[in-house]
């Protein structure tokens, strides 16, 4: 079976809807789409310094997706964000930082995004072998009761010292602490750019009030897309966002501001159009949108990951950042899963809608 036929098979009953959808909302002609010259043509017009362009070149030039304009990033910050025991119990070898980096290399990822501790422990052995992305803030789970906050775990200078080409950070938009996080991350990204590193922002929404009448609007495209727009505004080079699942959060929750055309013309209920609206809010694709793989559900992980990748690619996104679905299974299976997801971006048959 060819790789494309395998992908079609994994999409199952959704294959026709996802692979043949023609988006009639925001035309792809208006987007800056991923391509081999993306760093030159898009970031090369920006205020990013030659050092930042070199770091972006390293990131885009690594792994199986090298020089395509697409990214496959392997993230492992769950040891802090979800506790190490809960995250690594399915496969305890990943308590060892070296195995995290080994999996990213074996799977041909563009980069590995993880903590100061993991990358610092293996820096001299691997910093020149795969691009390092240091996740500089985290929501630690030992504060009781748990809260929606992200705190800095180290300095941007230390990320540079251990050989990182980029820093990553999270802002919980909508949380009580989001204003402080916004200022901290904006300052950190400015420093990272000064030191020649690229910047990646996890643009997540967090507020218990974003659930109403049994419907969760955290991943509504109108709400999450505004988070991505703010992320692009503080000069994140790449935006990480969860795949949208619905729309109408601003209207249902009766907050923020919206326009009727956001719902009638700029998007539809089709998952590709919902994601296209996220891309549009990333400065029409000038800041690359990478969607997250989400938690592991077991046997359905491969099909779900391929579905997410197809939606992201056809919407005009830049790739996938996928961790738990890969490292919470045997090493070889994790490599195979990541390769299959990358095949979506390598497949000429899967085009932008």
């Amino acid at each position: 079976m060819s790789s494309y036929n395998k992908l079609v098979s994994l999409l199952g009953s959704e294959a026709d809807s996802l692979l043949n959808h023609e988006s009639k909302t925001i035309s792809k002609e208006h987007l800056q789409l991923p391509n081999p010259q993306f760093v030159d043509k898009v970031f090369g017009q920006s205020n990013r310094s030659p050092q930042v362009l070199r770091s972006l070149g390293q990131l885009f030039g690594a792994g199986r997706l090298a020089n395509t304009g697409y990214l496959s990033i392997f993230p492992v910050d769950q040891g802090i964000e979800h506790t190490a025991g809960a995250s690594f119990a399915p496969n305890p070898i990943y308590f060892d930082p070296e195995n995290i980096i080994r999996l990213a290399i074996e799977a041909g990822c563009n980069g590995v995004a993880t903590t100061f501790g993991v990358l610092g422990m293996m820096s001299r052995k691997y910093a020149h072998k795969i691009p390092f992305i240091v996740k500089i803030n985290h929501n630690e789970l030992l504060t009781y009761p748990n809260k929606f906050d992200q705190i800095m775990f180290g300095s941007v200078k230390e990320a540079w010292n251990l050989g990182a080409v980029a820093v990553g950070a999270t802002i919980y938009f909508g949380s009580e602490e989001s204003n402080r996080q916004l200022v901290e991350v904006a300052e950190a990204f400015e420093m990272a750019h000064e030191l020649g590193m690229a910047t990646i922002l996890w643009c997540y929404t967090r507020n218990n009030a974003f659930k109403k009448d049994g419907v969760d609007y955290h991943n509504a495209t109108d709400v999450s897309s505004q988070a991505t727009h703010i992320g692009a505004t503080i000069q994140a080079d790449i935006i990480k966002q969860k795949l949208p699942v619905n729309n109408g959060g601003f209207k249902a929750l009766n907050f923020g501001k919206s326009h009727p055309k956001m719902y009638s013309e700029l998007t539809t209920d089709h998952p590709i159009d919902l994601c296209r609206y996220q891309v549009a809010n990333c400065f029409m694709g000038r800041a690359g949108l990478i969607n997250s793989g989400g938690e592991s559900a077991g046997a359905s992980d491969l099909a779900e990951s391929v579905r997410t990748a197809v939606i992201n690619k056809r919407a005009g996104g830049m790739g996938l950042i996928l961790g738990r679905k890969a490292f919470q299974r045997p090493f070889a299976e994790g490599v195979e899963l990541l390769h299959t997801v990358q095949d979506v971006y390598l497949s000429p048959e899967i085009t932008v809608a």
Side-chain angles (χ1 to χ4, degrees):
M1 181 184 295
S2 71
S3 61
Y4 176 69
N5 288 337
K6 178 182 178 182
L7 297 172
V8 173
S9 176
L10 286 166
L11 292 173
S13 61
E14 285 191 287
D16 180 65
S17 172
L18 294 178
L19 294 173
N20 296 314
H21 175 70
E22 182 181 348
S23 183
K24 298 180 179 179
T25 56
I26 297 168
S27 171
K28 64 183 178 182
E29 307 300 326
H30 296 311
L31 302 177
Q32 298 293 328
L33 297 172
N35 65 83
Q37 289 79 42
F38 192 89
V39 173
D40 291 333
K41 291 185 175 180
V42 176
F43 291 120
Q45 299 176 2
S46 72
N47 64 345
R48 275 52 166 186
S49 69
Q51 295 281 11
V52 173
L53 296 179
R54 183 176 67 177
S55 292
L56 286 165
Q58 287 180 268
L59 195 61
F60 281 93
R64 292 183 73 227
L65 300 185
N67 305 316
T68 63
Y70 290 106
L71 297 173
S72 170
I73 295 174
F74 182 55
V76 186
D77 59 357
Q78 290 86 355
I80 305 298
E81 298 278 349
H82 302 283
T83 77
S87 300
F88 302 140
N91 200 349
I93 68 168
Y94 293 106
F95 278 108
D96 185 339
E98 183 165 19
N99 288 321
I100 292 173
I101 300 172
R102 281 184 56 240
L103 179 57
I105 293 173
E106 288 292 322
C109 293
N110 295 76
V112 55
T114 184
T115 65
F116 280 101
V118 168
L119 295 177
M121 189 63 70
M122 304 307 304
S123 174
R124 293 183 184 272
K125 184 170 183 178
Y126 289 107
H128 55 296
K129 296 177 181 176
I130 184 172
F132 280 6
I133 302 159
V134 180
K135 184 65 165 47
I136 60 177
N137 68 355
H138 301 284
N139 182 33
E140 53 81 25
L141 288 182
L142 278 182
T143 300
Y144 187 84
N146 294 158
K147 57 186 178 181
F148 300 138
D149 198 5
Q150 288 277 330
I151 58 175
M152 290 291 175
F153 267 54
S155 68
V156 175
K157 182 67 178 296
E158 177 55 21
W160 180 82
N161 278 333
L162 61 80
V165 305
V167 297
T170 299
I171 295 176
Y172 280 154
F173 293 100
S175 70
E176 291 184 12
E177 297 83 7
S178 61
N179 284 350
R180 191 206 80 246
Q181 295 167 24
L182 185 60
V183 172
E184 286 180 350
V185 173
E187 291 176 348
F189 280 9
E190 180 181 355
M191 174 62 72
H193 279 156
E194 286 181 6
L195 290 173
M197 292 182 289
T199 56
I200 303 175
L201 186 63
W202 280 236
C203 291
Y204 288 167
T205 58
R206 288 287 192 280
N207 192 311
N208 289 329
F210 288 178
K211 298 178 181 179
K212 184 177 181 181
D213 299 329
V215 180
D216 190 341
Y217 292 102
H218 279 93
N219 296 331
T221 199
D222 55 346
V223 178
S224 64
S225 294
Q226 180 59 21
T228 69
H229 191 75
I230 297 173
T233 298
I234 64 169
Q235 300 193 78
D237 301 316
I238 298 161
I239 301 291
K240 178 191 177 189
Q241 183 57 273
K242 294 182 179 180
L243 202 67
V245 296
N246 54 16
N247 202 0
F250 284 139
K251 294 194 297 182
L253 301 171
N254 194 30
F255 92 112
K257 292 188 176 183
S258 62
H259 189 285
K261 288 187 177 181
M262 287 168 55
Y263 310 102
S264 64
E265 296 183 19
L266 299 186
T267 190
T268 71
D269 290 334
H270 195 285
I272 291 173
D273 292 338
L274 292 173
C275 189
R276 172 69 54 88
Y277 188 65
Q278 288 183 339
V279 175
N281 275 273
C282 292
F283 294 169
M284 284 295 193
R286 290 181 185 272
L289 174 73
I290 53 176
N291 287 117
S292 56
E295 64 183 305
S296 175
S300 63
D301 283 353
L302 182 58
E304 289 175 1
S305 299
V306 167
R307 179 183 185 272
T308 302
V310 168
I311 292 169
N312 172 271
K313 183 181 182 181
R314 299 213 69 222
M318 187 168 276
L320 222 58
I321 182 164
L322 188 151
R324 278 171 289 179
K325 284 182 168 63
F327 72 73
Q328 289 185 339
R329 60 187 63 243
F331 191 94
E333 290 183 20
V335 171
E336 181 182 3
L337 185 145
L338 288 165
H339 280 177
T340 303
V341 169
Q342 292 159 5
D343 286 343
V344 171
Y345 296 97
L346 293 171
S347 173
E349 295 93 342
I350 300 176
T351 58
V352 179

